[in-house]
Amino acid sequence: DQQVKQNSPSLSVQEGRISILNCDYTNSMFDYFLWYKKYPAEGPTFLISISSIKDKNEDGRFTVFLNKSAKHLSLHIVPSQPGDSAVYFCAASRSNDYKLSFGAGTTVTVRA
Amino acid sequence: ETGVTQSPTHLIKTRGQQVTLRCSSQSGHNTVSWYQQALGQGPQFIFQYYREEENGRGNFPPRFSGLQFPNYSSELNVNALELDDSALYLCASSWGGLRRDTQYFGPGTRLTVL
């Protein structure tokens, strides 16, 4: 049962433009959400997180938005850079349960 | 400060065999989690160890077992290997236990079962 879904397997964006990655979840008990970035032959690298008490968290070029009523979150990357080309995973967890539930990932390609 | 390391990088086994994968946690971390990532999918939680005890388990059969040592390094053991066990196995460490914290991943071990 896939509780975290990333419905877009790939995204292509021009350098300098905005990348928007989407993630939906079904478990209303999830209260902590993370984005990880993964390059080939490397493990996922933590990017940014958000708690359910917030609806927005920003870190440099990366902003995560959370819409609890829609059970939806998104990651905005502005401006996109060639080094952002990677697979991005959305993950979620709930209080007192430290396992992460991951989506299937979105492959981002930033074109020069 | 060293990051999370895993060994070996790649491994090929045949059905029915047993395998042990190893993970060294990031310095200062006392919690380790193991994940299985099949091709085209996101990582799936196997189990977590906190201070040498299993702290939670995902939907994996008992032939998947683990250990955490006093220095917080960890092993994942898989018995009676099946073809579907072919995957990337990731470990992640954190300063967690009773406090949720960001998990930091190693590069993974690619297991191929023939």
Side-chain angles (χ1 to χ4, degrees), chain A residues 54-107:
Chain A
K54 295 184 175 182
D55 54 18
K56 176 183 174 181
N57 189 27
E58 192 171 354
D59 184 1
R61 296 186 298 114
F62 303 92
T63 302
V64 56
F65 296 91
L66 175 63
N67 183 334
K68 291 185 291 293
S69 60
K71 295 191 180 68
H72 176 84
L73 63 155
S74 61
L75 174 68
H76 292 206
I77 307 174
V78 184
S80 299
Q81 299 174 354
D84 296 332
S85 294
V87 180
Y88 289 78
F89 291 101
C90 170
S93 70
R94 54 183 188 167
S95 296
N96 300 321
D97 185 358
Y98 306 104
K99 78 174 187 182
L100 295 176
S101 296
F102 283 85
T106 297
T107 300

Short mmCIF file of all heavy atoms in Angstrom, two decimals, chain A residues 54-107:
data_model
loop_
_atom_site.label_atom_id
_atom_site.label_comp_id
_atom_site.label_asym_id
_atom_site.label_seq_id
_atom_site.Cartn_x
_atom_site.Cartn_y
_atom_site.Cartn_z
N LYS A 54 3.40 23.74 10.24
CA LYS A 54 3.72 24.82 9.32
C LYS A 54 3.10 24.54 7.96
O LYS A 54 2.73 23.39 7.66
CB LYS A 54 5.23 24.94 9.15
CG LYS A 54 5.98 25.36 10.39
CD LYS A 54 7.45 25.55 10.05
CE LYS A 54 8.22 26.09 11.24
NZ LYS A 54 9.64 26.32 10.90
N ASP A 55 2.99 25.55 7.14
CA ASP A 55 2.56 25.31 5.76
C ASP A 55 3.63 25.69 4.75
O ASP A 55 3.44 25.50 3.54
CB ASP A 55 1.25 26.05 5.46
CG ASP A 55 1.33 27.53 5.77
OD1 ASP A 55 2.46 28.06 5.89
OD2 ASP A 55 0.28 28.17 5.89
N LYS A 56 4.75 26.20 5.25
CA LYS A 56 5.82 26.58 4.34
C LYS A 56 7.14 26.55 5.09
O LYS A 56 7.22 26.95 6.26
CB LYS A 56 5.56 27.99 3.79
CG LYS A 56 6.65 28.56 2.90
CD LYS A 56 6.29 29.98 2.48
CE LYS A 56 7.41 30.63 1.71
NZ LYS A 56 7.07 32.03 1.32
N ASN A 57 8.18 26.07 4.40
CA ASN A 57 9.53 26.14 4.95
C ASN A 57 10.49 26.44 3.81
O ASN A 57 10.39 25.85 2.72
CB ASN A 57 9.91 24.83 5.65
CG ASN A 57 11.21 24.96 6.42
OD1 ASN A 57 11.58 26.05 6.85
ND2 ASN A 57 11.91 23.85 6.59
N GLU A 58 11.40 27.35 4.06
CA GLU A 58 12.28 27.82 2.99
C GLU A 58 13.73 27.67 3.41
O GLU A 58 14.10 27.93 4.56
CB GLU A 58 11.96 29.30 2.73
CG GLU A 58 12.56 29.89 1.49
CD GLU A 58 12.00 31.29 1.21
OE1 GLU A 58 11.07 31.71 1.93
OE2 GLU A 58 12.49 31.94 0.29
N ASP A 59 14.57 27.25 2.46
CA ASP A 59 15.99 27.13 2.71
C ASP A 59 16.72 27.45 1.41
O ASP A 59 16.85 26.59 0.53
CB ASP A 59 16.34 25.72 3.20
CG ASP A 59 17.82 25.58 3.56
OD1 ASP A 59 18.58 26.58 3.44
OD2 ASP A 59 18.24 24.48 3.94
N GLY A 60 17.14 28.69 1.29
CA GLY A 60 17.84 29.10 0.08
C GLY A 60 16.94 29.01 -1.13
O GLY A 60 15.86 29.59 -1.17
N ARG A 61 17.38 28.23 -2.12
CA ARG A 61 16.60 28.10 -3.36
C ARG A 61 15.43 27.12 -3.22
O ARG A 61 14.65 26.97 -4.17
CB ARG A 61 17.52 27.63 -4.48
CG ARG A 61 18.63 28.61 -4.84
CD ARG A 61 19.43 28.14 -6.06
NE ARG A 61 20.11 26.87 -5.83
CZ ARG A 61 19.81 25.74 -6.47
NH1 ARG A 61 18.83 25.72 -7.37
NH2 ARG A 61 20.49 24.64 -6.21
N PHE A 62 15.35 26.44 -2.11
CA PHE A 62 14.37 25.37 -1.92
C PHE A 62 13.26 25.81 -0.95
O PHE A 62 13.55 26.30 0.14
CB PHE A 62 15.05 24.10 -1.39
CG PHE A 62 16.15 23.61 -2.28
CD1 PHE A 62 17.47 24.01 -2.06
CD2 PHE A 62 15.89 22.76 -3.34
CE1 PHE A 62 18.49 23.57 -2.90
CE2 PHE A 62 16.90 22.31 -4.17
CZ PHE A 62 18.21 22.72 -3.95
N THR A 63 12.02 25.61 -1.38
CA THR A 63 10.87 25.91 -0.53
C THR A 63 9.92 24.73 -0.60
O THR A 63 9.61 24.23 -1.70
CB THR A 63 10.14 27.17 -1.01
OG1 THR A 63 11.06 28.28 -1.01
CG2 THR A 63 8.97 27.50 -0.08
N VAL A 64 9.45 24.28 0.55
CA VAL A 64 8.46 23.21 0.60
C VAL A 64 7.16 23.80 1.13
O VAL A 64 7.15 24.58 2.08
CB VAL A 64 8.94 22.02 1.45
CG1 VAL A 64 9.30 22.43 2.85
CG2 VAL A 64 7.89 20.92 1.46
N PHE A 65 6.07 23.47 0.45
CA PHE A 65 4.74 23.91 0.82
C PHE A 65 3.92 22.68 1.23
O PHE A 65 3.99 21.65 0.57
CB PHE A 65 4.04 24.61 -0.36
CG PHE A 65 4.70 25.86 -0.80
CD1 PHE A 65 5.67 25.86 -1.80
CD2 PHE A 65 4.35 27.08 -0.24
CE1 PHE A 65 6.28 27.02 -2.22
CE2 PHE A 65 4.96 28.26 -0.65
CZ PHE A 65 5.93 28.23 -1.64
N LEU A 66 3.15 22.84 2.31
CA LEU A 66 2.31 21.74 2.78
C LEU A 66 0.86 22.18 2.83
O LEU A 66 0.54 23.21 3.45
CB LEU A 66 2.78 21.28 4.17
CG LEU A 66 1.94 20.22 4.86
CD1 LEU A 66 1.94 18.92 4.06
CD2 LEU A 66 2.44 19.98 6.30
N ASN A 67 0.00 21.41 2.21
CA ASN A 67 -1.44 21.64 2.25
C ASN A 67 -2.07 20.42 2.92
O ASN A 67 -2.31 19.40 2.28
CB ASN A 67 -1.99 21.82 0.83
CG ASN A 67 -3.48 22.13 0.82
OD1 ASN A 67 -4.21 21.75 1.73
ND2 ASN A 67 -3.93 22.80 -0.23
N LYS A 68 -2.30 20.53 4.22
CA LYS A 68 -2.76 19.38 5.00
C LYS A 68 -4.16 18.94 4.58
O LYS A 68 -4.46 17.74 4.55
CB LYS A 68 -2.74 19.70 6.49
CG LYS A 68 -1.33 19.83 7.05
CD LYS A 68 -1.36 20.02 8.55
CE LYS A 68 -1.91 21.35 8.97
NZ LYS A 68 -1.02 22.47 8.55
N SER A 69 -5.02 19.87 4.26
CA SER A 69 -6.40 19.49 3.91
C SER A 69 -6.42 18.69 2.62
O SER A 69 -7.25 17.79 2.46
CB SER A 69 -7.28 20.74 3.79
OG SER A 69 -6.78 21.58 2.77
N ALA A 70 -5.49 19.00 1.72
CA ALA A 70 -5.42 18.26 0.45
C ALA A 70 -4.47 17.08 0.54
O ALA A 70 -4.34 16.32 -0.43
CB ALA A 70 -4.99 19.20 -0.67
N LYS A 71 -3.77 16.94 1.67
CA LYS A 71 -2.74 15.91 1.82
C LYS A 71 -1.75 15.99 0.65
O LYS A 71 -1.48 14.99 -0.04
CB LYS A 71 -3.35 14.51 1.92
CG LYS A 71 -4.22 14.29 3.15
CD LYS A 71 -4.56 12.81 3.31
CE LYS A 71 -5.42 12.56 4.51
NZ LYS A 71 -6.76 13.13 4.38
N HIS A 72 -1.22 17.18 0.48
CA HIS A 72 -0.35 17.44 -0.66
C HIS A 72 0.80 18.33 -0.22
O HIS A 72 0.62 19.26 0.56
CB HIS A 72 -1.16 18.15 -1.76
CG HIS A 72 -0.36 18.55 -2.94
ND1 HIS A 72 -0.07 17.70 -3.99
CD2 HIS A 72 0.25 19.73 -3.24
CE1 HIS A 72 0.67 18.33 -4.88
NE2 HIS A 72 0.87 19.56 -4.46
N LEU A 73 1.98 18.01 -0.73
CA LEU A 73 3.09 18.92 -0.54
C LEU A 73 3.85 19.08 -1.85
O LEU A 73 3.74 18.25 -2.76
CB LEU A 73 4.03 18.48 0.59
CG LEU A 73 4.80 17.18 0.52
CD1 LEU A 73 6.04 17.29 1.39
CD2 LEU A 73 3.95 16.03 1.03
N SER A 74 4.56 20.19 -1.93
CA SER A 74 5.32 20.45 -3.14
C SER A 74 6.67 21.04 -2.76
O SER A 74 6.83 21.66 -1.71
CB SER A 74 4.56 21.39 -4.08
OG SER A 74 4.33 22.63 -3.47
N LEU A 75 7.62 20.82 -3.64
CA LEU A 75 8.97 21.37 -3.49
C LEU A 75 9.22 22.30 -4.68
O LEU A 75 9.05 21.89 -5.83
CB LEU A 75 10.01 20.25 -3.48
CG LEU A 75 11.47 20.69 -3.47
CD1 LEU A 75 11.82 21.36 -2.13
CD2 LEU A 75 12.41 19.52 -3.74
N HIS A 76 9.58 23.55 -4.37
CA HIS A 76 9.92 24.51 -5.41
C HIS A 76 11.42 24.77 -5.38
O HIS A 76 11.99 25.02 -4.30
CB HIS A 76 9.17 25.83 -5.18
CG HIS A 76 7.70 25.71 -5.37
ND1 HIS A 76 6.91 26.79 -5.73
CD2 HIS A 76 6.84 24.67 -5.27
CE1 HIS A 76 5.65 26.40 -5.83
NE2 HIS A 76 5.59 25.11 -5.55
N ILE A 77 12.03 24.73 -6.53
CA ILE A 77 13.46 25.03 -6.66
C ILE A 77 13.58 26.23 -7.59
O ILE A 77 13.19 26.17 -8.77
CB ILE A 77 14.24 23.84 -7.24
CG1 ILE A 77 13.96 22.56 -6.44
CG2 ILE A 77 15.74 24.14 -7.25
CD1 ILE A 77 14.58 21.30 -7.05
N VAL A 78 14.08 27.34 -7.03
CA VAL A 78 14.19 28.57 -7.82
C VAL A 78 15.51 29.28 -7.51
O VAL A 78 15.75 29.59 -6.34
CB VAL A 78 13.02 29.54 -7.51
CG1 VAL A 78 13.10 30.77 -8.42
CG2 VAL A 78 11.67 28.85 -7.65
N PRO A 79 16.35 29.61 -8.50
CA PRO A 79 16.25 29.13 -9.88
C PRO A 79 16.86 27.73 -10.00
O PRO A 79 17.74 27.37 -9.24
CB PRO A 79 17.10 30.15 -10.64
CG PRO A 79 18.14 30.56 -9.63
CD PRO A 79 17.48 30.50 -8.28
N SER A 80 16.43 26.97 -10.95
CA SER A 80 16.99 25.63 -11.17
C SER A 80 18.39 25.73 -11.77
O SER A 80 18.66 26.59 -12.62
CB SER A 80 16.08 24.83 -12.11
OG SER A 80 14.80 24.68 -11.55
N GLN A 81 19.27 24.85 -11.31
CA GLN A 81 20.65 24.84 -11.78
C GLN A 81 20.99 23.43 -12.30
O GLN A 81 20.37 22.45 -11.86
CB GLN A 81 21.60 25.22 -10.64
CG GLN A 81 21.37 26.60 -10.08
CD GLN A 81 22.23 26.90 -8.87
OE1 GLN A 81 22.93 26.02 -8.36
NE2 GLN A 81 22.18 28.14 -8.41
N PRO A 82 21.98 23.31 -13.18
CA PRO A 82 22.33 21.99 -13.72
C PRO A 82 22.62 20.95 -12.63
O PRO A 82 22.29 19.78 -12.77
CB PRO A 82 23.56 22.27 -14.57
CG PRO A 82 23.39 23.69 -15.01
CD PRO A 82 22.74 24.39 -13.83
N GLY A 83 23.23 21.39 -11.52
CA GLY A 83 23.54 20.48 -10.41
C GLY A 83 22.32 19.96 -9.69
O GLY A 83 22.41 19.03 -8.87
N ASP A 84 21.16 20.52 -10.01
CA ASP A 84 19.91 20.03 -9.40
C ASP A 84 19.39 18.79 -10.11
O ASP A 84 18.43 18.17 -9.64
CB ASP A 84 18.84 21.12 -9.45
CG ASP A 84 19.21 22.35 -8.64
OD1 ASP A 84 19.95 22.21 -7.65
OD2 ASP A 84 18.75 23.45 -9.01
N SER A 85 19.98 18.43 -11.23
CA SER A 85 19.55 17.23 -11.95
C SER A 85 19.82 16.00 -11.08
O SER A 85 20.98 15.68 -10.76
CB SER A 85 20.31 17.11 -13.28
OG SER A 85 19.96 18.16 -14.14
N ALA A 86 18.76 15.33 -10.67
CA ALA A 86 18.86 14.21 -9.73
C ALA A 86 17.46 13.60 -9.60
O ALA A 86 16.50 14.08 -10.19
CB ALA A 86 19.35 14.69 -8.37
N VAL A 87 17.37 12.55 -8.80
CA VAL A 87 16.07 11.99 -8.42
C VAL A 87 15.68 12.58 -7.07
O VAL A 87 16.50 12.60 -6.14
CB VAL A 87 16.11 10.45 -8.32
CG1 VAL A 87 14.75 9.90 -7.93
CG2 VAL A 87 16.56 9.84 -9.65
N TYR A 88 14.45 13.06 -6.97
CA TYR A 88 13.96 13.66 -5.73
C TYR A 88 12.89 12.76 -5.12
O TYR A 88 11.91 12.38 -5.78
CB TYR A 88 13.39 15.05 -6.01
CG TYR A 88 14.46 16.05 -6.34
CD1 TYR A 88 15.03 16.08 -7.62
CD2 TYR A 88 14.93 16.95 -5.39
CE1 TYR A 88 16.04 16.97 -7.92
CE2 TYR A 88 15.94 17.85 -5.69
CZ TYR A 88 16.49 17.86 -6.96
OH TYR A 88 17.49 18.73 -7.27
N PHE A 89 13.08 12.44 -3.84
CA PHE A 89 12.13 11.60 -3.12
C PHE A 89 11.42 12.42 -2.07
O PHE A 89 12.04 13.16 -1.30
CB PHE A 89 12.84 10.43 -2.43
CG PHE A 89 13.39 9.40 -3.37
CD1 PHE A 89 14.74 9.39 -3.70
CD2 PHE A 89 12.56 8.44 -3.92
CE1 PHE A 89 15.25 8.43 -4.56
CE2 PHE A 89 13.06 7.48 -4.79
CZ PHE A 89 14.41 7.49 -5.11
N CYS A 90 10.13 12.24 -2.00
CA CYS A 90 9.31 12.77 -0.93
C CYS A 90 9.17 11.67 0.11
O CYS A 90 9.04 10.50 -0.24
CB CYS A 90 7.94 13.15 -1.52
SG CYS A 90 6.69 13.56 -0.35
N ALA A 91 9.25 12.03 1.40
CA ALA A 91 9.12 11.04 2.47
C ALA A 91 8.27 11.61 3.59
O ALA A 91 8.21 12.84 3.77
CB ALA A 91 10.49 10.62 3.00
N ALA A 92 7.64 10.73 4.34
CA ALA A 92 6.77 11.17 5.43
C ALA A 92 6.90 10.24 6.62
O ALA A 92 7.23 9.06 6.46
CB ALA A 92 5.31 11.21 4.95
N SER A 93 6.64 10.78 7.79
CA SER A 93 6.63 9.96 9.00
C SER A 93 5.58 10.51 9.96
O SER A 93 5.05 11.60 9.76
CB SER A 93 8.01 9.91 9.66
OG SER A 93 8.33 11.16 10.23
N ARG A 94 5.28 9.75 11.00
CA ARG A 94 4.30 10.19 11.97
C ARG A 94 4.92 10.14 13.37
O ARG A 94 5.93 9.47 13.58
CB ARG A 94 3.05 9.33 11.92
CG ARG A 94 3.33 7.86 12.06
CD ARG A 94 2.07 7.03 11.92
NE ARG A 94 2.35 5.64 12.24
CZ ARG A 94 1.42 4.73 12.44
NH1 ARG A 94 0.15 5.04 12.34
NH2 ARG A 94 1.76 3.49 12.73
N SER A 95 4.30 10.82 14.30
CA SER A 95 4.82 10.90 15.66
C SER A 95 5.03 9.51 16.23
O SER A 95 4.21 8.62 16.05
CB SER A 95 3.84 11.66 16.54
OG SER A 95 3.72 12.98 16.10
N ASN A 96 6.15 9.36 16.96
CA ASN A 96 6.48 8.10 17.65
C ASN A 96 6.67 6.93 16.69
O ASN A 96 6.58 5.78 17.10
CB ASN A 96 5.39 7.75 18.67
CG ASN A 96 5.26 8.85 19.72
OD1 ASN A 96 6.25 9.42 20.15
ND2 ASN A 96 4.04 9.16 20.08
N ASP A 97 6.89 7.21 15.43
CA ASP A 97 7.16 6.15 14.46
C ASP A 97 8.20 6.71 13.52
O ASP A 97 7.88 7.52 12.66
CB ASP A 97 5.88 5.78 13.70
CG ASP A 97 6.12 4.59 12.77
OD1 ASP A 97 7.27 4.10 12.68
OD2 ASP A 97 5.15 4.17 12.13
N TYR A 98 9.43 6.28 13.69
CA TYR A 98 10.52 6.97 13.02
C TYR A 98 10.84 6.42 11.65
O TYR A 98 11.75 6.89 11.00
CB TYR A 98 11.75 6.98 13.93
CG TYR A 98 11.36 7.55 15.28
CD1 TYR A 98 11.18 6.75 16.37
CD2 TYR A 98 11.11 8.90 15.40
CE1 TYR A 98 10.78 7.27 17.58
CE2 TYR A 98 10.70 9.45 16.59
CZ TYR A 98 10.54 8.63 17.69
OH TYR A 98 10.13 9.15 18.88
N LYS A 99 10.06 5.45 11.20
CA LYS A 99 10.29 4.98 9.85
C LYS A 99 9.80 6.04 8.87
O LYS A 99 8.85 6.76 9.12
CB LYS A 99 9.57 3.66 9.60
CG LYS A 99 8.09 3.76 9.36
CD LYS A 99 7.52 2.41 8.99
CE LYS A 99 6.07 2.53 8.56
NZ LYS A 99 5.48 1.21 8.24
N LEU A 100 10.48 6.10 7.76
CA LEU A 100 10.11 7.00 6.68
C LEU A 100 9.38 6.21 5.60
O LEU A 100 9.82 5.13 5.22
CB LEU A 100 11.34 7.67 6.08
CG LEU A 100 12.13 8.61 7.00
CD1 LEU A 100 13.38 9.10 6.29
CD2 LEU A 100 11.26 9.78 7.43
N SER A 101 8.28 6.76 5.11
CA SER A 101 7.57 6.20 3.97
C SER A 101 7.89 7.08 2.77
O SER A 101 7.67 8.29 2.81
CB SER A 101 6.07 6.16 4.22
OG SER A 101 5.76 5.30 5.29
N PHE A 102 8.43 6.47 1.72
CA PHE A 102 8.91 7.22 0.57
C PHE A 102 7.98 7.09 -0.62
O PHE A 102 7.32 6.06 -0.81
CB PHE A 102 10.28 6.69 0.13
CG PHE A 102 11.44 7.13 0.97
CD1 PHE A 102 11.78 6.44 2.13
CD2 PHE A 102 12.19 8.23 0.60
CE1 PHE A 102 12.85 6.84 2.90
CE2 PHE A 102 13.28 8.63 1.37
CZ PHE A 102 13.60 7.94 2.52
N GLY A 103 7.97 8.14 -1.44
CA GLY A 103 7.38 8.04 -2.76
C GLY A 103 8.37 7.38 -3.71
O GLY A 103 9.51 7.08 -3.34
N ALA A 104 7.94 7.17 -4.95
CA ALA A 104 8.77 6.46 -5.93
C ALA A 104 9.82 7.35 -6.58
O ALA A 104 10.71 6.85 -7.27
CB ALA A 104 7.88 5.84 -7.00
N GLY A 105 9.73 8.66 -6.35
CA GLY A 105 10.75 9.55 -6.86
C GLY A 105 10.36 10.25 -8.15
O GLY A 105 9.56 9.75 -8.94
N THR A 106 10.93 11.44 -8.35
CA THR A 106 10.79 12.20 -9.60
C THR A 106 12.18 12.54 -10.09
O THR A 106 12.98 13.11 -9.34
CB THR A 106 9.99 13.50 -9.37
OG1 THR A 106 8.67 13.19 -8.96
CG2 THR A 106 9.94 14.33 -10.66
N THR A 107 12.46 12.18 -11.33
CA THR A 107 13.76 12.50 -11.92
C THR A 107 13.70 13.88 -12.56
O THR A 107 12.90 14.13 -13.46
CB THR A 107 14.15 11.46 -12.99
OG1 THR A 107 14.21 10.17 -12.39
CG2 THR A 107 15.50 11.80 -13.60
#
